[in-house]
Coordinates of all heavy atoms in Angstrom, one line a residue:
M1 N 110.7 121.9 107.6 CA 110.8 121.0 108.7 C 109.4 120.7 109.2 O 109.0 119.5 109.4 CB 111.6 121.7 109.8 CG 111.8 120.8 111.0 SD 112.7 119.4 110.6 CE 112.9 118.7 112.2
L2 N 108.5 121.7 109.4 CA 107.2 121.5 109.8 C 106.3 120.7 108.9 O 105.5 119.8 109.2 CB 106.5 122.9 110.2 CG 105.2 122.8 110.8 CD1 105.1 122.0 112.1 CD2 104.5 124.2 111.0
Q3 N 106.5 121.0 107.6 CA 105.8 120.3 106.6 C 106.2 118.8 106.6 O 105.3 117.9 106.4 CB 106.1 120.9 105.2 CG 105.2 120.3 104.1 CD 103.7 120.5 104.3 OE1 103.3 121.5 104.9 NE2 103.0 119.6 103.9
R4 N 107.4 118.5 106.8 CA 107.9 117.1 106.9 C 107.2 116.3 108.0 O 106.9 115.2 107.9 CB 109.4 117.0 107.0 CG 110.1 117.4 105.7 CD 111.6 117.3 105.8 NE 112.0 115.9 106.1 CZ 113.2 115.5 106.5 NH1 114.1 116.4 106.8 NH2 113.4 114.3 106.7
I5 N 107.1 117.0 109.2 CA 106.5 116.4 110.4 C 104.9 116.2 110.1 O 104.5 115.1 110.4 CB 106.6 117.3 111.6 CG1 108.1 117.4 112.0 CG2 105.8 116.8 112.7 CD1 108.4 118.4 113.1
I6 N 104.3 117.1 109.5 CA 102.9 117.0 109.1 C 102.7 115.9 108.1 O 101.8 115.0 108.3 CB 102.3 118.3 108.6 CG1 102.3 119.3 109.7 CG2 100.9 118.1 108.0 CD1 101.9 120.7 109.2
T7 N 103.6 115.7 107.1 CA 103.5 114.7 106.2 C 103.7 113.3 106.8 O 103.0 112.3 106.5 CB 104.6 114.8 105.1 OG1 104.3 116.2 104.4 CG2 104.5 113.8 104.0
F8 N 104.7 113.2 107.8 CA 104.9 111.9 108.5 C 103.6 111.6 109.2 O 103.3 110.4 109.2 CB 106.1 112.1 109.4 CG 106.3 111.0 110.3 CD1 107.0 109.9 109.9 CD2 105.8 110.9 111.6 CE1 107.2 108.8 110.6 CE2 106.1 109.8 112.4 CZ 106.8 108.7 111.9
F9 N 103.0 112.5 110.0 CA 101.8 112.2 110.7 C 100.7 111.7 109.8 O 100.0 110.7 110.1 CB 101.3 113.4 111.5 CG 102.2 113.6 112.7 CD1 102.4 115.0 113.1 CD2 102.7 112.7 113.5 CE1 103.2 115.3 114.2 CE2 103.6 113.0 114.5 CZ 103.7 114.2 114.9
E10 N 100.5 112.3 108.7 CA 99.4 112.0 107.8 C 99.7 110.6 107.1 O 98.8 109.8 106.9 CB 99.3 113.0 106.7 CG 98.7 114.3 107.2 CD 98.6 115.4 106.1 OE1 99.2 115.1 105.0 OE2 97.9 116.4 106.4
R11 N 100.9 110.3 106.9 CA 101.3 109.1 106.2 C 101.4 107.9 107.1 O 100.8 106.8 106.7 CB 102.6 109.3 105.4 CG 103.0 108.1 104.6 CD 104.3 108.2 103.9 NE 104.1 109.2 102.8 CZ 105.1 109.7 102.2 NH1 106.4 109.4 102.5 NH2 104.9 110.6 101.2
Y12 N 101.9 108.0 108.3 CA 102.2 106.8 109.1 C 101.3 106.7 110.3 O 101.0 105.6 110.7 CB 103.7 106.9 109.6 CG 104.6 106.7 108.5 CD1 105.4 107.8 108.1 CD2 104.7 105.5 107.8 CE1 106.3 107.7 107.1 CE2 105.6 105.4 106.7 CZ 106.4 106.5 106.4 OH 107.3 106.3 105.4
S13 N 100.9 107.8 111.0 CA 100.2 107.6 112.2 C 98.6 107.4 112.1 O 98.0 106.8 112.9 CB 100.5 108.7 113.2 OG 100.0 109.9 112.6
F14 N 98.1 108.0 111.1 CA 96.7 107.8 110.9 C 96.2 106.5 110.4 O 97.0 105.9 109.6 CB 96.1 108.9 110.0 CG 96.3 110.4 110.5 CD1 96.8 111.3 109.8 CD2 95.9 110.6 111.8 CE1 97.0 112.6 110.2 CE2 96.1 111.8 112.3 CZ 96.6 112.9 111.5
G15 N 95.1 105.9 110.9 CA 94.7 104.7 110.4 C 94.8 103.7 111.6 O 94.3 102.6 111.6
V16 N 95.5 104.0 112.7 CA 95.7 103.1 113.8 C 94.4 103.0 114.5 O 94.0 101.9 114.9 CB 96.8 103.7 114.8 CG1 96.9 102.8 116.0 CG2 98.1 103.7 114.0
C17 N 93.7 104.0 114.8 CA 92.4 104.0 115.5 C 91.4 103.2 114.7 O 90.6 102.4 115.2 CB 91.9 105.4 115.9 SG 92.8 106.2 117.1
T18 N 91.4 103.5 113.4 CA 90.5 102.7 112.5 C 90.8 101.2 112.6 O 89.8 100.4 112.6 CB 90.6 103.3 111.1 OG1 90.4 104.7 111.1 CG2 89.6 102.6 110.2
Y19 N 92.0 100.9 112.4 CA 92.4 99.4 112.5 C 92.0 98.8 113.8 O 91.4 97.7 113.7 CB 93.9 99.3 112.3 CG 94.4 97.8 112.4 CD1 94.2 97.0 111.4 CD2 95.0 97.4 113.5 CE1 94.6 95.7 111.5 CE2 95.4 96.2 113.6 CZ 95.2 95.2 112.7 OH 95.6 94.0 112.7
L20 N 92.3 99.5 114.9 CA 91.9 98.9 116.2 C 90.4 98.8 116.4 O 89.9 97.9 117.0 CB 92.6 99.7 117.3 CG 94.1 99.7 117.5 CD1 94.5 100.7 118.5 CD2 94.5 98.3 117.8
G21 N 89.7 99.9 115.9 CA 88.2 99.8 116.1 C 87.6 98.7 115.3 O 86.7 98.0 115.7
E22 N 88.1 98.4 114.0 CA 87.6 97.4 113.2 C 88.0 96.0 113.8 O 87.2 95.1 113.8 CB 88.1 97.5 111.8 CG 87.4 98.6 111.1 CD 88.0 98.9 109.7 OE1 89.0 98.2 109.3 OE2 87.6 99.7 109.0
R23 N 89.2 96.0 114.3 CA 89.7 94.7 114.8 C 89.0 94.2 116.1 O 88.7 93.0 116.2 CB 91.2 94.8 115.1 CG 91.9 93.7 115.6 CD 92.4 92.8 114.6 NE 93.2 91.8 115.2 CZ 93.5 90.6 114.7 NH1 93.1 90.4 113.4 NH2 94.2 89.7 115.2
F24 N 88.7 95.2 117.0 CA 88.1 94.8 118.3 C 86.6 95.2 118.3 O 86.0 95.1 119.4 CB 88.9 95.5 119.4 CG 90.2 95.0 119.6 CD1 91.3 95.8 119.3 CD2 90.5 93.6 119.8 CE1 92.6 95.4 119.4 CE2 91.8 93.2 120.0 CZ 92.9 94.0 119.8
N25 N 86.0 95.7 117.2 CA 84.6 96.1 117.0 C 84.2 97.1 118.2 O 83.3 97.0 118.9 CB 83.8 94.9 117.2 CG 82.4 95.1 116.6 OD1 82.1 96.1 115.9 ND2 81.4 94.3 117.0
I26 N 85.0 98.3 118.2 CA 84.9 99.3 119.2 C 84.8 100.6 118.3 O 85.4 100.7 117.3 CB 86.1 99.4 120.1 CG1 86.2 98.2 121.0 CG2 85.9 100.6 121.1 CD1 87.5 98.1 121.8
S27 N 84.0 101.5 118.9 CA 83.9 102.8 118.2 C 85.2 103.5 118.0 O 86.0 103.6 118.9 CB 82.9 103.7 119.0 OG 82.8 105.0 118.4
I28 N 85.4 104.0 116.9 CA 86.7 104.7 116.6 C 86.9 106.0 117.4 O 87.9 106.3 117.9 CB 86.9 105.0 115.0 CG1 86.8 103.7 114.3 CG2 88.1 105.8 114.7 CD1 86.6 103.8 112.8
A29 N 85.7 106.7 117.6 CA 85.8 107.9 118.4 C 86.2 107.6 119.8 O 86.9 108.3 120.5 CB 84.4 108.6 118.4
K30 N 85.7 106.5 120.4 CA 86.1 106.1 121.7 C 87.6 105.7 121.9 O 88.3 106.1 122.8 CB 85.3 104.9 122.3 CG 83.9 105.2 122.5 CD 83.1 103.9 123.0 CE 81.7 104.4 123.2 NZ 80.9 103.2 123.6
I31 N 88.1 105.1 120.8 CA 89.6 104.8 120.8 C 90.4 106.1 120.7 O 91.4 106.3 121.4 CB 89.9 103.9 119.7 CG1 89.2 102.5 119.9 CG2 91.4 103.7 119.6 CD1 89.4 101.6 118.8
R32 N 89.9 107.0 119.9 CA 90.7 108.3 119.8 C 90.6 109.1 121.1 O 91.6 109.7 121.5 CB 90.1 109.1 118.7 CG 90.4 108.6 117.3 CD 89.9 109.5 116.2 NE 90.3 109.0 114.9 CZ 89.5 108.9 113.9 NH1 88.2 109.4 114.0 NH2 89.9 108.4 112.8
L33 N 89.5 109.1 121.8 CA 89.4 109.7 123.0 C 90.3 109.1 124.1 O 90.9 109.7 124.9 CB 87.9 109.7 123.5 CG 87.0 110.8 122.9 CD1 85.6 110.6 123.3 CD2 87.5 112.2 123.1
F34 N 90.3 107.8 124.0 CA 91.2 107.0 125.0 C 92.7 107.5 124.7 O 93.4 107.7 125.7 CB 91.1 105.6 124.7 CG 92.2 104.8 125.4 CD1 92.1 104.6 126.7 CD2 93.2 104.2 124.8 CE1 93.0 103.8 127.5 CE2 94.2 103.5 125.4 CZ 94.2 103.3 126.7
F35 N 93.2 107.6 123.5 CA 94.5 108.0 123.3 C 94.8 109.4 123.7 O 95.8 109.7 124.3 CB 94.9 107.8 121.7 CG 95.3 106.5 121.4 CD1 94.6 105.7 120.5 CD2 96.5 106.0 121.8 CE1 95.0 104.5 120.2 CE2 97.0 104.8 121.4 CZ 96.2 104.0 120.6
I36 N 93.8 110.3 123.5 CA 93.9 111.7 123.9 C 94.0 111.8 125.5 O 94.9 112.4 126.0 CB 92.8 112.5 123.3 CG1 92.9 112.7 121.9 CG2 92.8 114.0 124.0 CD1 91.7 113.3 121.2
Y37 N 93.1 111.2 126.1 CA 93.0 111.3 127.6 C 94.2 110.6 128.3 O 94.8 111.1 129.3 CB 91.7 110.8 128.1 CG 90.5 111.6 127.8 CD1 89.2 111.0 127.5 CD2 90.6 113.0 127.7 CE1 88.1 111.8 127.2 CE2 89.5 113.8 127.3 CZ 88.3 113.1 127.2 OH 87.2 114.0 126.8
S38 N 94.5 109.4 127.8 CA 95.6 108.7 128.4 C 97.0 109.4 128.1 O 97.9 109.2 128.9 CB 95.6 107.2 127.9 OG 95.8 107.2 126.5
S39 N 97.0 110.1 127.0 CA 98.4 110.7 126.7 C 98.6 111.9 127.8 O 99.7 112.2 128.1 CB 98.4 111.3 125.3 OG 97.4 112.3 125.1
F40 N 97.5 112.5 128.2 CA 97.6 113.5 129.2 C 97.9 112.9 130.6 O 98.7 113.4 131.4 CB 96.3 114.3 129.4 CG 96.2 115.3 128.2 CD1 95.0 115.3 127.4 CD2 97.1 116.4 128.0 CE1 94.9 116.1 126.4 CE2 96.9 117.3 127.0 CZ 95.8 117.1 126.3
L41 N 97.4 111.8 130.9 CA 97.6 111.1 132.2 C 98.9 110.4 132.2 O 99.6 110.4 133.3 CB 96.5 110.1 132.5 CG 95.1 110.7 132.7 CD1 94.0 109.5 132.8 CD2 95.0 111.6 133.9
A42 N 99.4 109.8 131.2 CA 100.5 109.0 131.1 C 101.7 109.8 130.5 O 102.8 109.2 130.2 CB 100.4 107.7 130.4
V43 N 101.6 111.1 130.4 CA 102.7 112.0 129.9 C 103.2 111.6 128.5 O 104.4 111.5 128.3 CB 103.8 112.1 130.9 CG1 104.8 113.3 130.6 CG2 103.3 112.3 132.3
G44 N 102.3 111.2 127.6 CA 102.7 111.0 126.2 C 103.0 109.6 125.9 O 103.3 109.3 124.7
F45 N 103.0 108.7 126.8 CA 103.4 107.3 126.5 C 102.5 106.7 125.4 O 102.9 106.0 124.5 CB 103.5 106.4 127.7 CG 103.8 104.9 127.4 CD1 105.0 104.6 127.1 CD2 102.8 104.0 127.4 CE1 105.3 103.3 126.7 CE2 103.0 102.7 127.1 CZ 104.3 102.3 126.7
P46 N 101.2 106.9 125.5 CA 100.3 106.3 124.5 C 100.6 106.9 123.0 O 100.4 106.2 122.0 CB 98.9 106.7 124.9 CG 99.0 106.9 126.3 CD 100.4 107.4 126.6
L47 N 101.1 108.1 123.0 CA 101.5 108.6 121.7 C 102.7 107.8 121.1 O 102.7 107.6 119.8 CB 101.9 110.1 121.7 CG 100.8 111.0 122.1 CD1 101.3 112.5 122.3 CD2 99.7 111.0 121.0
I48 N 103.6 107.4 121.9 CA 104.7 106.5 121.4 C 104.1 105.2 120.9 O 104.5 104.8 119.8 CB 105.7 106.2 122.6 CG1 106.4 107.6 123.0 CG2 106.7 105.2 122.1 CD1 107.2 107.5 124.2
F49 N 103.2 104.6 121.6 CA 102.5 103.4 121.1 C 101.7 103.6 119.7 O 101.9 102.9 118.9 CB 101.5 102.9 122.1 CG 100.6 101.8 121.6 CD1 101.1 100.5 121.4 CD2 99.3 102.1 121.3 CE1 100.3 99.5 120.9 CE2 98.5 101.1 120.7 CZ 99.0 99.8 120.5
Y50 N 101.1 104.8 119.6 CA 100.4 105.2 118.5 C 101.2 105.3 117.2 O 101.0 104.8 116.2 CB 99.6 106.5 118.7 CG 98.6 106.8 117.7 CD1 97.3 106.3 117.8 CD2 98.9 107.7 116.6 CE1 96.4 106.6 116.9 CE2 97.9 108.0 115.7 CZ 96.6 107.4 115.8 OH 95.8 107.8 114.9
F51 N 102.4 106.0 117.5 CA 103.3 106.1 116.4 C 104.0 104.8 115.9 O 104.1 104.5 114.8 CB 104.4 107.1 116.7 CG 104.0 108.5 116.8 CD1 104.4 109.3 117.9 CD2 103.0 109.1 115.9 CE1 103.9 110.7 118.0 CE2 102.6 110.3 116.0 CZ 103.0 111.1 117.1
F52 N 104.3 103.9 116.9 CA 104.9 102.6 116.7 C 103.9 101.7 116.0 O 104.2 101.1 115.0 CB 105.3 102.0 118.0 CG 105.9 100.6 117.8 CD1 107.2 100.5 117.3 CD2 105.1 99.5 118.2 CE1 107.7 99.2 117.1 CE2 105.7 98.3 118.0 CZ 107.0 98.0 117.5
A53 N 102.6 101.8 116.4 CA 101.6 101.0 115.7 C 101.3 101.5 114.3 O 101.1 100.6 113.4 CB 100.3 101.1 116.5
G54 N 101.4 102.8 114.0 CA 101.3 103.3 112.7 C 102.4 102.8 111.8 O 102.2 102.4 110.6
I55 N 103.6 102.8 112.3 CA 104.7 102.4 111.5 C 104.6 100.8 111.2 O 104.8 100.4 110.1 CB 106.1 102.7 112.2 CG1 106.2 104.2 112.1 CG2 107.2 102.0 111.5 CD1 107.4 104.7 113.0
V56 N 104.2 100.1 112.2 CA 104.1 98.6 112.1 C 103.0 98.3 111.0 O 103.2 97.4 110.2 CB 103.8 97.9 113.4 CG1 103.3 96.5 113.2 CG2 105.0 98.0 114.3
L57 N 101.8 99.0 111.1 CA 100.8 98.8 110.2 C 101.2 99.1 108.8 O 100.9 98.4 107.8 CB 99.5 99.6 110.5 CG 98.7 99.1 111.8 CD1 97.7 100.0 112.1 CD2 98.2 97.7 111.5
D58 N 102.0 100.2 108.7 CA 102.4 100.5 107.3 C 103.4 99.5 106.7 O 103.3 99.1 105.6 CB 103.1 101.9 107.3 CG 103.5 102.4 105.9 OD1 102.6 102.4 105.1 OD2 104.6 102.8 105.7
I59 N 104.3 99.0 107.5 CA 105.2 97.9 107.1 C 104.4 96.7 106.7 O 104.7 96.0 105.8 CB 106.3 97.6 108.2 CG1 107.2 98.8 108.3 CG2 107.0 96.4 107.8 CD1 108.2 98.8 109.5
R60 N 103.4 96.4 107.6 CA 102.6 95.2 107.3 C 101.9 95.3 105.9 O 101.8 94.3 105.2 CB 101.6 95.0 108.5 CG 100.7 93.9 108.4 CD 99.9 93.8 109.6 NE 99.0 92.7 109.5 CZ 97.9 92.6 110.2 NH1 97.6 93.5 111.0 NH2 97.1 91.6 110.1
N61 N 101.3 96.4 105.7 CA 100.7 96.7 104.4 C 101.6 96.6 103.2 O 101.4 96.1 102.1 CB 99.9 98.0 104.3 CG 98.7 98.0 105.2 OD1 98.1 97.0 105.6 ND2 98.4 99.2 105.7
F62 N 102.9 97.1 103.5 CA 103.9 97.0 102.4 C 104.3 95.6 102.1 O 104.4 95.2 101.0 CB 105.1 97.8 102.9 CG 106.3 97.8 101.9 CD1 106.3 98.5 100.8 CD2 107.4 97.0 102.2 CE1 107.3 98.4 99.9 CE2 108.5 96.9 101.3 CZ 108.4 97.7 100.2
V63 N 104.4 94.8 103.1 CA 104.8 93.3 102.9 C 103.7 92.6 102.2 O 103.9 91.8 101.3 CB 105.1 92.7 104.3 CG1 105.2 91.2 104.2 CG2 106.4 93.2 104.9
K64 N 102.4 92.9 102.6 CA 101.3 92.3 101.8 C 101.2 92.6 100.4 O 101.0 91.7 99.6 CB 99.9 92.7 102.5 CG 99.7 92.0 103.8 CD 98.3 92.4 104.3 CE 98.0 91.7 105.6 NZ 96.7 92.0 106.1
R65 N 101.5 93.9 100.1 CA 101.5 94.3 98.7 C 102.6 93.6 97.9 O 102.5 93.1 96.8 CB 101.8 95.8 98.5 CG 100.4 96.6 98.8 CD 100.6 98.0 98.6 NE 101.3 98.5 99.8 CZ 101.9 99.7 100.0 NH1 102.1 100.4 99.0 NH2 102.4 100.0 101.1
K66 N 103.8 93.5 98.5 CA 105.0 92.8 97.8 C 104.7 91.4 97.7 O 105.0 90.7 96.6 CB 106.2 93.0 98.7 CG 106.8 94.4 98.6 CD 107.3 94.6 97.2 CE 108.1 95.9 97.2 NZ 108.6 96.3 95.9
R67 N 104.0 90.8 98.7 CA 103.8 89.3 98.6 C 102.7 89.0 97.5 O 102.8 88.1 96.8 CB 103.2 88.8 100.0 CG 103.1 87.3 100.1 CD 102.7 86.9 101.4 NE 103.7 87.2 102.4 CZ 103.6 87.1 103.7 NH1 102.4 86.8 104.2 NH2 104.5 87.4 104.5
S68 N 101.7 89.9 97.4 CA 100.7 89.6 96.4 C 101.3 89.8 95.0 O 100.9 89.2 94.1 CB 99.5 90.6 96.6 OG 99.8 91.9 96.4
R69 N 102.2 90.8 94.8 CA 102.8 91.0 93.6 C 103.7 89.8 93.1 O 103.7 89.4 92.0 CB 103.7 92.3 93.5 CG 102.8 93.6 93.5 CD 103.8 94.7 93.5 NE 103.0 95.9 93.7 CZ 103.5 97.1 94.0 NH1 104.8 97.2 94.2 NH2 102.8 98.2 94.1
A70 N 104.4 89.3 94.1 CA 105.2 88.1 93.8 C 104.4 86.9 93.5 O 104.8 86.1 92.6 CB 106.1 87.8 95.0
L71 N 103.2 86.7 94.0 CA 102.3 85.5 93.8 C 101.7 85.7 92.4 O 101.2 84.7 91.8 CB 101.3 85.4 94.9 CG 101.9 84.9 96.3 CD1 100.8 84.9 97.2 CD2 102.6 83.6 96.1
D72 N 101.5 86.9 91.9 CA 100.8 87.2 90.7 C 101.7 86.7 89.4 O 101.2 86.5 88.4 CB 100.4 88.7 90.5 CG 99.3 89.0 91.4 OD1 98.6 88.1 91.8 OD2 99.2 90.3 91.6
M73 N 103.0 86.7 89.6 CA 103.9 86.4 88.6 C 103.8 84.9 88.2 O 103.5 84.0 88.2 CB 105.4 86.7 88.9 CG 105.5 88.1 89.0 SD 107.3 88.5 89.3 CE 107.2 90.2 89.4

């Protein structure tokens, strides 16, 4: 059970801070600190956003891969 949770975090949630940092030209370390500090202040609400953004980014990358494969044919 614990291994499934760790695998989920590694697969879906990481990359969100990198994407936001590149998109808005902000340091990735500052974004990570923002998520950590705001999760303590807002009782975990930013973590929900973080997980949701990770899932959305993964779906977005999946759609891009499928679209590029369909156009290659």
Side-chain angles (χ1 to χ4, degrees):
M1 179 71 172
L2 183 61
Q3 187 61 34
R4 290 181 63 196
I5 293 171
I6 292 171
T7 303
F8 175 79
F9 287 144
E10 289 176 351
R11 185 179 286 168
Y12 293 111
S13 64
F14 296 130
V16 174
C17 291
T18 305
Y19 175 78
L20 291 174
E22 291 173 354
R23 179 88 172 159
F24 297 115
N25 199 17
I26 301 173
S27 172
I28 298 167
K30 289 181 182 179
I31 294 174
R32 287 184 180 140
L33 285 175
F34 169 76
F35 275 113
I36 292 169
Y37 292 145
S38 61
S39 66
F40 285 120
L41 294 174
V43 192
F45 178 73
L47 292 176
I48 295 170
F49 169 76
Y50 191 85
F51 294 137
F52 179 72
I55 292 170
V56 168
L57 287 175
D58 188 50
I59 291 172
R60 185 176 174 199
N61 290 336
F62 178 75
V63 169
K64 282 184 180 180
R65 282 183 280 163
K66 287 292 187 179
R67 190 177 293 169
S68 67
R69 288 180 187 168
L71 293 176
D72 287 342
M73 289 181 181

